[in-house]
């Protein structure tokens, strides 16, 4: 095993493409690259897009795309299609596959050691970035080709198993959506949300009072992505004292919450609270106040809605409680609601088990990478 410099074994591709005159179909932007993922599968279509003049770098299937902006986001992965990307995204490949396997290079660039180097050597102020000259100086241990192959085969096999589980999760979620549409998509009896639910905006706790610790959960949109909070809110990153919580908006267990302010895409992340909590000013809560409308069914109804349609544009895009109150929703019998809820709960159990498997595989992958590099 020997130590090599990144630029001695890796080259930055320099293929230029005219986005107005290219046979490439796809483009990849930073939004298409997920953090800590070995593979890039998302993409946009060049035709009809609004990508700017900096999208002139061509890439081919098998290349590695490395986002140079904000390296703390750890955005880097292998593509299995041809396309173009911004000049802020490096297109990388091994100089010699008899020295460094491309599959192994992708693993090296997922290691903590690599990302720590990027973070420690980034440039800039508000928008941090990494220059090629800096990346070129990164050093890592390079095992024999045979050893590279063994580790790469193990890791990529584990990654493919993980992807298969993620596809099963996606398929299960789509099945539940389809079931909802089949049962209630054309349901005749409809009511206004405001006639059967309370709709309320959150209120933010003054920053200095957030630091007073207590046992009341203070939920923000960022908490939607905490482990275990996929569809339901079980915990928060912050628990405040009662004297702090009184400045906010308390909501009971069984409330549906989503983003009120900010990008429209955030509003389509809804969560059903499984705890009493208070919510900040960027959050909207909807709670059934009718004995004829189950909390779980209301959650499914709101999950089926494209809330972004209700976003009012402005300096800060927002959703007014009134627009949600006036929204018409299906109003089936309790027996029909319970039938759907039973299906959804069984699907949730399956998804929960699959997510546990995904998390376990992720841990194995990270362990193998960091123990061997």
């Amino acid at each position: 095993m020997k130590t090599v410099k990144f630029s001695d074994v890796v080259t930055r591709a320099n293929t230029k493409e005219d986005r107005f005159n290219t046979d490439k179909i796809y483009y990849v932007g930073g939004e298409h690259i997920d953090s800590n993922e070995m593979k890039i599968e998302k993409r946009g279509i060049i035709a009809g897009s609004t990508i700017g003049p900096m999208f002139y770098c061509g890439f081919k299937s098998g290349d590695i795309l490395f986002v140079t902006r904000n390296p703390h986001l750890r955005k880097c992965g292998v593509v299995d299609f041809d396309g173009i990307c911004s000049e802020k995204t490096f297109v990388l490949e091994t100089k010699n596959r008899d020295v460094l396997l491309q599959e192994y290079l992708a693993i090296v660039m997922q290691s903590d050691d690599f990302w720590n180097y990027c973070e420690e050597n980034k440039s800039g102020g508000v928008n941090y970035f990494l220059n090629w000259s800096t990346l070129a100086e990164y050093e890592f241990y390079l095992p024999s080709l045979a050893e590279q192959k063994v580790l790469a085969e193990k890791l990529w096999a584990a990654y493919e198993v993980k992807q298969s589980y993620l596809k099963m999760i996606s398929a299960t979620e789509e099945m539940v959506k389809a079931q909802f549409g089949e049962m209630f998509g054309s349901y005749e009896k409809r009511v206004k949300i405001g006639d059967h639910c309370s709709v309320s905006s959150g209120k933010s706790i003054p920053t200095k009072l957030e630091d007073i610790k207590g046992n009341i959960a203070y939920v923000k949109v960022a908490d939607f992505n905490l482990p275990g909070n996929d569809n339901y809110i079980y915990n928060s990153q912050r628990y405040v004292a009662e004297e702090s919580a009184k400045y906010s908006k308390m909501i009971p267990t069984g409330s549906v919450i989503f983003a009120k302010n900010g990008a429209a895409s955030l509003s389509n992340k809804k969560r059903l609270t499984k705890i009493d909590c208070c919510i900040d000013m960027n959050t909207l809560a909807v709670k059934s106040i009718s004995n004829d409308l189950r909390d779980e069914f209301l959650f499914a109804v709101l999950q089926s809605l494209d809330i972004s349609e209700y976003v009012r544009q402005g300096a800060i895009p927002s959703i007014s409680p009134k627009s949600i109150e006036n929204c018409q929703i299906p109003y089936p019998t309790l027996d029909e609601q319970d039938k759907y809820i039973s299906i959804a709960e069984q699907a949730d159990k399956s998804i929960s088990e699959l997510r546990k498997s995904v998390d376990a595989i992720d841990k194995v992958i990270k362990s193998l990478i960091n123990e061997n590099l």
Side-chain angles (χ1 to χ4, degrees), residues 300-315:
V301 169
L302 290 171
Q303 284 279 62
S304 71
L305 293 180
D306 183 0
I307 298 293
S308 64
E309 294 180 4
Y310 300 89
V311 173
R312 183 174 50 200
Q313 296 303 319

Side-chain angles (χ1 to χ4, degrees), residues 180-196 293 297 301 304-305 310 326-332:
F180 181 89
E182 184 179 322
M183 293 176 70
F184 309 113
S186 57
Y187 204 86
E188 290 186 6
K189 186 175 181 180
R190 291 182 173 259
V191 295
K192 285 184 179 180
I193 285 181
D195 291 340
H196 296 269
L293 185 63
F297 182 74
V301 169
S304 71
L305 293 180
Y310 300 89
N326 290 329
C327 181
Q328 297 272 347
I329 61 171
Y331 195 61

Side-chain angles (χ1 to χ4, degrees), residues 310-341:
Y310 300 89
V311 173
R312 183 174 50 200
Q313 296 303 319
I316 300 178
S318 63
I319 301 169
S320 71
K322 197 58 138 178
S323 65
I324 301 299
E325 288 174 355
N326 290 329
C327 181
Q328 297 272 347
I329 61 171
Y331 195 61
T333 65
L334 287 176
D335 284 344
E336 290 172 304
Q337 292 180 45
D338 289 339
K339 182 179 178 181
Y340 172 77
I341 290 170

Side-chain angles (χ1 to χ4, degrees), residues 26-35 37 39-46 49 51 55 59 65 67 75-79 81 84-86 89:
Y26 305 110
Y27 75 91
V28 170
E31 71 275 14
H32 297 121
I33 305 177
D34 294 325
S35 299
E37 285 295 334
K39 197 172 182 180
I40 300 167
E41 297 188 341
K42 299 174 185 175
R43 68 202 83 173
I45 297 176
I46 298 171
S49 71
I51 56 174
F55 277 79
F59 62 81
L65 304 187
V67 179
K75 291 194 169 190
C76 171
V78 179
V79 287
F81 53 90
I84 63 173
C85 61
S86 163
T89 297

